[in-house]
Protein backbone atom coordinates (compact mmCIF):
# COMPACT_ATOMS: atom_id res chain seq x y z
CA UNK A 1 0.00 0.00 0.00
CA UNK A 2 1.03 3.61 -0.51
CA UNK A 3 1.48 6.30 2.13
CA UNK A 4 -1.82 7.84 1.03
CA UNK A 5 -3.67 4.53 1.36
CA UNK A 6 -2.34 4.01 4.88
CA UNK A 7 -3.21 7.61 5.76
CA UNK A 8 -6.80 7.00 4.63
CA UNK A 9 -6.92 4.19 7.20
CA UNK A 10 -5.50 6.52 9.86
CA UNK A 11 -8.25 9.00 8.97
CA UNK A 12 -10.79 6.20 9.55
CA UNK A 13 -9.34 5.81 13.06
CA UNK A 14 -9.65 9.58 13.56
CA UNK A 15 -13.30 9.53 12.49
CA UNK A 16 -14.01 6.71 14.94
CA UNK A 17 -12.37 8.78 17.69
CA UNK A 18 -14.61 11.73 16.83
CA UNK A 19 -17.69 9.52 17.18
CA UNK A 20 -16.53 8.75 20.74
CA UNK A 21 -16.21 12.49 21.43
CA UNK A 22 -12.42 12.43 21.20
CA UNK A 23 -10.32 14.93 19.23
CA UNK A 24 -10.16 13.23 15.80
CA UNK A 25 -6.58 12.05 15.49
CA UNK A 26 -5.80 8.59 14.13
CA UNK A 27 -2.63 6.54 13.92
CA UNK A 28 -1.35 3.27 12.46
CA UNK A 29 1.87 1.34 12.98
CA UNK A 30 2.94 -0.60 9.90
CA UNK A 31 5.69 -3.20 9.79
CA UNK A 32 6.56 -5.15 6.65
CA UNK A 33 3.35 -3.99 4.92
CA UNK A 34 1.21 -5.21 7.83
CA UNK A 35 -0.76 -3.04 10.24
CA UNK A 36 0.32 -4.04 13.74
CA UNK A 37 -1.24 -1.17 15.68
CA UNK A 38 -4.14 1.20 15.07
CA UNK A 39 -6.01 3.69 17.20
CA UNK A 40 -7.67 7.02 17.47
CA UNK A 41 -7.28 9.34 20.43
CA UNK A 42 -8.52 7.76 23.69
CA UNK A 43 -7.65 10.37 26.33
CA UNK A 44 -11.27 10.91 27.39
CA UNK A 45 -12.38 7.31 26.91
CA UNK A 46 -9.49 5.94 28.97
CA UNK A 47 -9.25 8.95 31.33
CA UNK A 48 -5.55 8.95 30.44
CA UNK A 49 -3.67 12.06 29.32
CA UNK A 50 -1.09 9.86 27.56
CA UNK A 51 -3.65 7.98 25.44
CA UNK A 52 -2.91 9.90 22.26
CA UNK A 53 -3.56 7.93 19.07
CA UNK A 54 0.16 7.47 18.46
CA UNK A 55 0.90 6.11 21.93
CA UNK A 56 -2.07 3.72 21.93
CA UNK A 57 -1.09 2.41 18.47
CA UNK A 58 2.54 1.97 19.59
CA UNK A 59 1.39 0.04 22.68
CA UNK A 60 -0.71 -2.29 20.54
CA UNK A 61 2.15 -2.83 18.10
CA UNK A 62 4.59 -3.63 20.92
CA UNK A 63 2.14 -6.13 22.40
CA UNK A 64 1.59 -7.81 19.02
CA UNK A 65 5.29 -8.12 18.29
CA UNK A 66 6.28 -8.92 21.86
CA UNK A 67 8.94 -6.24 21.68
CA UNK A 68 9.06 -2.63 22.85
CA UNK A 69 11.44 -1.88 19.98
CA UNK A 70 9.60 -1.58 16.67
CA UNK A 71 12.66 -1.51 14.44
CA UNK A 72 11.78 -0.93 10.80
CA UNK A 73 8.18 0.12 11.53
CA UNK A 74 6.42 3.20 10.18
CA UNK A 75 3.91 5.30 12.08
CA UNK A 76 1.14 7.08 10.16
CA UNK A 77 -0.73 9.81 12.03
CA UNK A 78 -3.21 12.40 10.84
CA UNK A 79 -1.58 15.36 12.61
CA UNK A 80 1.94 16.31 13.60
CA UNK A 81 2.88 14.55 16.87
CA UNK A 82 3.34 16.41 20.14
CA UNK A 83 6.55 16.29 22.20
CA UNK A 84 5.37 13.25 24.20
CA UNK A 85 4.55 11.29 21.07
CA UNK A 86 7.78 12.35 19.33
CA UNK A 87 9.70 11.00 22.31
CA UNK A 88 7.74 7.75 22.13
CA UNK A 89 8.76 7.37 18.46
CA UNK A 90 12.41 7.53 19.47
CA UNK A 91 11.93 5.09 22.36
CA UNK A 92 10.11 2.64 20.05
CA UNK A 93 12.81 3.02 17.37
CA UNK A 94 10.26 3.88 14.67
CA UNK A 95 12.01 4.09 11.30
CA UNK A 96 9.54 6.39 9.51
CA UNK A 97 6.96 8.93 10.59
CA UNK A 98 4.34 9.92 8.04
CA UNK A 99 1.88 12.58 9.13
CA UNK A 100 -0.88 14.68 7.64
CA UNK A 101 -1.30 18.23 8.90
CA UNK A 102 1.10 20.43 10.82
CA UNK A 103 -0.04 21.31 14.34
CA UNK A 104 0.54 25.03 14.86
CA UNK A 105 -0.26 24.83 18.58
CA UNK A 106 1.68 21.78 19.68
CA UNK A 107 3.52 20.08 16.84
CA UNK A 108 6.92 18.85 17.94
CA UNK A 109 8.35 17.57 14.66
CA UNK A 110 8.65 20.73 12.55
CA UNK A 111 6.21 23.38 13.77
CA UNK A 112 6.61 24.44 17.44
CA UNK A 113 9.53 22.16 18.33
CA UNK A 114 11.89 19.89 16.41
CA UNK A 115 12.26 17.07 18.92
CA UNK A 116 13.49 14.51 16.39
CA UNK A 117 16.30 16.84 15.29
CA UNK A 118 18.04 16.98 18.68
CA UNK A 119 21.62 15.84 17.96
CA UNK A 120 22.03 14.02 21.28
CA UNK A 121 19.24 11.54 20.52
CA UNK A 122 20.39 7.98 19.88
CA UNK A 123 17.88 7.29 17.10
CA UNK A 124 16.82 9.05 13.91
CA UNK A 125 13.35 8.96 12.38
CA UNK A 126 12.74 9.65 8.71
CA UNK A 127 9.85 12.14 8.37
CA UNK A 128 7.32 12.67 5.59
CA UNK A 129 4.74 15.39 6.20
CA UNK A 130 1.68 16.69 4.37
CA UNK A 131 0.14 13.35 3.36
CA UNK A 132 -3.61 14.04 3.02
CA UNK A 133 -3.11 17.17 5.13
CA UNK A 134 -6.24 18.82 3.76
CA UNK A 135 -8.46 15.93 4.85
CA UNK A 136 -6.86 15.90 8.30
CA UNK A 137 -7.40 19.64 8.75
CA UNK A 138 -11.00 19.42 7.51
CA UNK A 139 -11.79 16.66 9.99
CA UNK A 140 -10.36 18.65 12.90
CA UNK A 141 -12.07 21.88 11.83
CA UNK A 142 -15.44 20.15 11.46
CA UNK A 143 -15.07 18.55 14.89
CA UNK A 144 -14.25 21.81 16.66
CA UNK A 145 -16.85 23.84 14.71
CA UNK A 146 -19.56 21.45 15.89
CA UNK A 147 -18.44 21.95 19.51
CA UNK A 148 -18.56 25.78 19.42
Amino acid sequence: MTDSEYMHLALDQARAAALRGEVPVGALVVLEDRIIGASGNRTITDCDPTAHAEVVALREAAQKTGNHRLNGAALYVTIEPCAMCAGALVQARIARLIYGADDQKGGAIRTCLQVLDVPALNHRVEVTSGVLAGESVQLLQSFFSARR
Side-chain angles (χ1 to χ4, degrees), residues 1 6 14 27 34 36 43 68 78 88 96 101 117-118 131 138-139 145:
M1 289 178 61
Y6 281 123
R34 198 169 48 97
I36 60 171
T43 56
H68 66 288
T78 57
R96 284 186 71 215
D117 295 338
V118 173
V131 177
Q138 179 59 42
L139 185 57
S145 290

Side-chain angles (χ1 to χ4, degrees), residues 5-146:
E5 290 169 322
Y6 281 123
M7 191 62 74
H8 276 293
L9 297 176
L11 283 161
D12 290 342
Q13 293 291 324
R15 287 184 196 94
L19 291 175
R20 292 191 308 273
E22 301 276 1
V23 174
V25 176
L28 304 174
V29 180
V30 176
L31 181 63
E32 297 172 353
D33 297 320
R34 198 169 48 97
I35 297 169
I36 60 171
S39 186
N41 270 353
R42 298 189 56 85
T43 56
I44 297 166
T45 304
D46 294 354
C47 195
D48 178 356
T50 70
H52 290 196
E54 301 96 311
V55 170
V56 178
L58 288 169
R59 287 176 183 155
E60 181 181 332
Q63 289 294 311
K64 280 188 181 172
T65 62
N67 194 338
H68 66 288
R69 301 283 192 233
L70 300 169
N71 293 313
L75 184 122
Y76 292 81
V77 62
T78 57
I79 194 161
E80 181 181 4
C82 70
M84 175 186 70
C85 293
L89 298 177
V90 173
Q91 295 302 313
R93 303 301 191 264
I94 292 294
R96 284 186 71 215
L97 166 65
I98 304 89
Y99 72 88
D102 289 336
D103 181 355
Q104 300 300 322
K105 295 181 180 179
I109 305 303
R110 301 274 184 249
T111 308
C112 297
L113 301 169
Q114 294 80 40
V115 171
L116 299 180
D117 295 338
V118 173
L121 290 176
N122 63 347
H123 178 72
R124 296 284 168 247
V125 178
E126 178 187 332
V127 177
T128 302
S129 62
V131 177
L132 301 182
E135 291 184 41
S136 297
V137 167
Q138 179 59 42
L139 185 57
L140 286 163
Q141 286 175 340
S142 295
F143 177 81
F144 287 113
S145 290

